[in-house]
PDB file of all heavy atoms in Angstrom:
ATOM      1  N   TYR A   7       2.664   6.773   2.378  1.00  0.00           N
ATOM      2  CA  TYR A   7       2.685   5.430   2.543  1.00  0.00           C
ATOM      3  C   TYR A   7       1.562   4.703   1.781  1.00  0.00           C
ATOM      4  O   TYR A   7       1.618   3.717   1.153  1.00  0.00           O
ATOM      5  CB  TYR A   7       2.642   5.045   4.040  1.00  0.00           C
ATOM      6  CG  TYR A   7       3.937   5.184   4.692  1.00  0.00           C
ATOM      7  CD1 TYR A   7       4.155   6.120   5.805  1.00  0.00           C
ATOM      8  CD2 TYR A   7       5.077   4.496   4.285  1.00  0.00           C
ATOM      9  CE1 TYR A   7       5.277   6.196   6.435  1.00  0.00           C
ATOM     10  CE2 TYR A   7       6.217   4.622   4.957  1.00  0.00           C
ATOM     11  CZ  TYR A   7       6.416   5.551   6.004  1.00  0.00           C
ATOM     12  OH  TYR A   7       7.625   5.703   6.593  1.00  0.00           O
ATOM     13  N   ARG A   8       0.309   5.327   1.927  1.00  0.00           N
ATOM     14  CA  ARG A   8      -0.879   4.877   1.238  1.00  0.00           C
ATOM     15  C   ARG A   8      -0.559   4.861  -0.321  1.00  0.00           C
ATOM     16  O   ARG A   8      -0.943   3.884  -1.085  1.00  0.00           O
ATOM     17  CB  ARG A   8      -2.146   5.764   1.481  1.00  0.00           C
ATOM     18  CG  ARG A   8      -3.349   5.206   0.757  1.00  0.00           C
ATOM     19  CD  ARG A   8      -4.593   5.847   1.128  1.00  0.00           C
ATOM     20  NE  ARG A   8      -4.844   5.629   2.652  1.00  0.00           N
ATOM     21  CZ  ARG A   8      -5.291   4.549   3.306  1.00  0.00           C
ATOM     22  NH1 ARG A   8      -5.500   3.530   2.485  1.00  0.00           N
ATOM     23  NH2 ARG A   8      -5.526   4.526   4.490  1.00  0.00           N
ATOM     24  N   GLN A   9       0.182   5.889  -0.799  1.00  0.00           N
ATOM     25  CA  GLN A   9       0.388   5.883  -2.349  1.00  0.00           C
ATOM     26  C   GLN A   9       1.506   4.875  -2.553  1.00  0.00           C
ATOM     27  O   GLN A   9       1.379   4.176  -3.632  1.00  0.00           O
ATOM     28  CB  GLN A   9       0.984   7.321  -2.576  1.00  0.00           C
ATOM     29  CG  GLN A   9       1.256   7.356  -4.120  1.00  0.00           C
ATOM     30  CD  GLN A   9       1.750   8.826  -4.444  1.00  0.00           C
ATOM     31  OE1 GLN A   9       2.090   9.637  -3.606  1.00  0.00           O
ATOM     32  NE2 GLN A   9       1.684   8.988  -5.728  1.00  0.00           N
ATOM     33  N   LEU A  10       2.436   4.547  -1.780  1.00  0.00           N
ATOM     34  CA  LEU A  10       3.448   3.548  -1.945  1.00  0.00           C
ATOM     35  C   LEU A  10       2.719   2.108  -2.129  1.00  0.00           C
ATOM     36  O   LEU A  10       3.019   1.286  -2.933  1.00  0.00           O
ATOM     37  CB  LEU A  10       4.470   3.539  -0.833  1.00  0.00           C
ATOM     38  CG  LEU A  10       5.434   4.708  -0.980  1.00  0.00           C
ATOM     39  CD1 LEU A  10       6.421   4.642   0.347  1.00  0.00           C
ATOM     40  CD2 LEU A  10       6.318   4.648  -2.245  1.00  0.00           C
ATOM     41  N   LEU A  11       1.798   1.889  -1.161  1.00  0.00           N
ATOM     42  CA  LEU A  11       1.071   0.617  -1.159  1.00  0.00           C
ATOM     43  C   LEU A  11       0.198   0.527  -2.353  1.00  0.00           C
ATOM     44  O   LEU A  11       0.126  -0.596  -2.986  1.00  0.00           O
ATOM     45  CB  LEU A  11       0.235   0.467   0.090  1.00  0.00           C
ATOM     46  CG  LEU A  11       1.134   0.280   1.413  1.00  0.00           C
ATOM     47  CD1 LEU A  11       0.250   0.450   2.582  1.00  0.00           C
ATOM     48  CD2 LEU A  11       1.669  -1.117   1.387  1.00  0.00           C
ATOM     49  N   THR A  12      -0.479   1.615  -2.779  1.00  0.00           N
ATOM     50  CA  THR A  12      -1.241   1.603  -3.925  1.00  0.00           C
ATOM     51  C   THR A  12      -0.353   1.299  -5.202  1.00  0.00           C
ATOM     52  O   THR A  12      -0.733   0.481  -6.029  1.00  0.00           O
ATOM     53  CB  THR A  12      -1.904   2.910  -4.107  1.00  0.00           C
ATOM     54  OG1 THR A  12      -2.810   3.143  -2.984  1.00  0.00           O
ATOM     55  CG2 THR A  12      -2.748   2.953  -5.443  1.00  0.00           C
ATOM     56  N   LEU A  13       0.818   1.934  -5.303  1.00  0.00           N
ATOM     57  CA  LEU A  13       1.693   1.548  -6.431  1.00  0.00           C
ATOM     58  C   LEU A  13       2.103   0.108  -6.416  1.00  0.00           C
ATOM     59  O   LEU A  13       2.287  -0.443  -7.439  1.00  0.00           O
ATOM     60  CB  LEU A  13       2.902   2.482  -6.398  1.00  0.00           C
ATOM     61  CG  LEU A  13       2.716   3.992  -6.646  1.00  0.00           C
ATOM     62  CD1 LEU A  13       3.894   4.852  -6.415  1.00  0.00           C
ATOM     63  CD2 LEU A  13       2.232   4.202  -8.042  1.00  0.00           C
ATOM     64  N   THR A  14       2.212  -0.466  -5.277  1.00  0.00           N
ATOM     65  CA  THR A  14       2.691  -1.895  -5.170  1.00  0.00           C
ATOM     66  C   THR A  14       1.511  -2.742  -5.858  1.00  0.00           C
ATOM     67  O   THR A  14       1.797  -3.624  -6.578  1.00  0.00           O
ATOM     68  CB  THR A  14       2.747  -2.256  -3.768  1.00  0.00           C
ATOM     69  OG1 THR A  14       3.753  -1.527  -3.169  1.00  0.00           O
ATOM     70  CG2 THR A  14       3.113  -3.808  -3.643  1.00  0.00           C
ATOM     71  N   LEU A  15       0.315  -2.229  -5.512  1.00  0.00           N
ATOM     72  CA  LEU A  15      -0.905  -3.014  -6.107  1.00  0.00           C
ATOM     73  C   LEU A  15      -1.057  -2.804  -7.697  1.00  0.00           C
ATOM     74  O   LEU A  15      -1.517  -3.580  -8.398  1.00  0.00           O
ATOM     75  CB  LEU A  15      -2.215  -2.569  -5.546  1.00  0.00           C
ATOM     76  CG  LEU A  15      -2.314  -2.971  -4.131  1.00  0.00           C
ATOM     77  CD1 LEU A  15      -3.536  -2.384  -3.454  1.00  0.00           C
ATOM     78  CD2 LEU A  15      -2.551  -4.576  -3.981  1.00  0.00           C
ATOM     79  N   LEU A  16      -0.560  -1.650  -8.165  1.00  0.00           N
ATOM     80  CA  LEU A  16      -0.705  -1.295  -9.537  1.00  0.00           C
ATOM     81  C   LEU A  16       0.498  -1.803 -10.368  1.00  0.00           C
ATOM     82  O   LEU A  16       0.410  -1.669 -11.612  1.00  0.00           O
ATOM     83  CB  LEU A  16      -0.922   0.187  -9.741  1.00  0.00           C
ATOM     84  CG  LEU A  16      -2.278   0.778  -9.131  1.00  0.00           C
ATOM     85  CD1 LEU A  16      -2.290   2.270  -9.210  1.00  0.00           C
ATOM     86  CD2 LEU A  16      -3.355   0.174  -9.784  1.00  0.00           C
ATOM     87  N   THR A  17       1.511  -2.245  -9.788  1.00  0.00           N
ATOM     88  CA  THR A  17       2.695  -2.601 -10.564  1.00  0.00           C
ATOM     89  C   THR A  17       2.711  -4.042 -10.824  1.00  0.00           C
ATOM     90  O   THR A  17       2.518  -4.876  -9.875  1.00  0.00           O
ATOM     91  CB  THR A  17       3.969  -2.312  -9.732  1.00  0.00           C
ATOM     92  OG1 THR A  17       4.029  -0.835  -9.494  1.00  0.00           O
ATOM     93  CG2 THR A  17       5.227  -2.619 -10.520  1.00  0.00           C
ATOM     94  N   GLU A  18       2.807  -4.534 -12.071  1.00  0.00           N
ATOM     95  CA  GLU A  18       2.947  -5.874 -12.389  1.00  0.00           C
ATOM     96  C   GLU A  18       4.293  -6.407 -12.113  1.00  0.00           C
ATOM     97  O   GLU A  18       5.282  -5.807 -12.473  1.00  0.00           O
ATOM     98  CB  GLU A  18       2.637  -6.091 -13.932  1.00  0.00           C
ATOM     99  CG  GLU A  18       1.138  -6.054 -14.274  1.00  0.00           C
ATOM    100  CD  GLU A  18       0.424  -7.227 -13.841  1.00  0.00           C
ATOM    101  OE1 GLU A  18       0.880  -8.392 -14.016  1.00  0.00           O
ATOM    102  OE2 GLU A  18      -0.681  -7.049 -13.400  1.00  0.00           O
ATOM    103  N   PRO A  19       4.432  -7.625 -11.552  1.00  0.00           N
ATOM    104  CA  PRO A  19       5.756  -8.241 -11.340  1.00  0.00           C
ATOM    105  C   PRO A  19       6.500  -8.394 -12.603  1.00  0.00           C
ATOM    106  O   PRO A  19       5.900  -8.674 -13.693  1.00  0.00           O
ATOM    107  CB  PRO A  19       5.453  -9.583 -10.706  1.00  0.00           C
ATOM    108  CG  PRO A  19       4.016  -9.423 -10.221  1.00  0.00           C
ATOM    109  CD  PRO A  19       3.408  -8.457 -11.002  1.00  0.00           C
ATOM    110  N   GLY A  20       7.726  -7.982 -12.613  1.00  0.00           N
ATOM    111  CA  GLY A  20       8.613  -8.061 -13.861  1.00  0.00           C
ATOM    112  C   GLY A  20       8.603  -6.768 -14.716  1.00  0.00           C
ATOM    113  O   GLY A  20       9.351  -6.712 -15.653  1.00  0.00           O
ATOM    114  N   SER A  21       7.803  -5.810 -14.358  1.00  0.00           N
ATOM    115  CA  SER A  21       7.703  -4.600 -15.224  1.00  0.00           C
ATOM    116  C   SER A  21       8.826  -3.658 -14.766  1.00  0.00           C
ATOM    117  O   SER A  21       9.041  -2.661 -15.587  1.00  0.00           O
ATOM    118  CB  SER A  21       6.248  -3.976 -15.002  1.00  0.00           C
ATOM    119  OG  SER A  21       6.071  -3.577 -13.709  1.00  0.00           O
ATOM    120  N   LEU A  22       9.416  -3.729 -13.724  1.00  0.00           N
ATOM    121  CA  LEU A  22      10.544  -2.863 -13.321  1.00  0.00           C
ATOM    122  C   LEU A  22      11.927  -3.615 -13.421  1.00  0.00           C
ATOM    123  O   LEU A  22      12.104  -4.614 -12.697  1.00  0.00           O
ATOM    124  CB  LEU A  22      10.365  -2.365 -11.902  1.00  0.00           C
ATOM    125  CG  LEU A  22       9.130  -1.555 -11.617  1.00  0.00           C
ATOM    126  CD1 LEU A  22       8.903  -1.162 -10.156  1.00  0.00           C
ATOM    127  CD2 LEU A  22       9.010  -0.340 -12.456  1.00  0.00           C
ATOM    128  N   PRO A  23      12.747  -3.197 -14.292  1.00  0.00           N
ATOM    129  CA  PRO A  23      13.918  -4.058 -14.615  1.00  0.00           C
ATOM    130  C   PRO A  23      14.842  -4.151 -13.287  1.00  0.00           C
ATOM    131  O   PRO A  23      15.549  -5.253 -13.210  1.00  0.00           O
ATOM    132  CB  PRO A  23      14.683  -3.180 -15.691  1.00  0.00           C
ATOM    133  CG  PRO A  23      13.720  -2.369 -16.290  1.00  0.00           C
ATOM    134  CD  PRO A  23      12.516  -2.125 -15.168  1.00  0.00           C
TER     135      PRO A  23
END
Side-chain angles (χ1 to χ4, degrees):
Y7 285 117
R8 181 168 302 285
Q9 183 176 14
L10 289 172
L11 290 167
T12 300
L13 288 172
T14 302
L15 289 169
L16 295 174
T17 303
E18 282 287 319
S21 64
L22 300 176

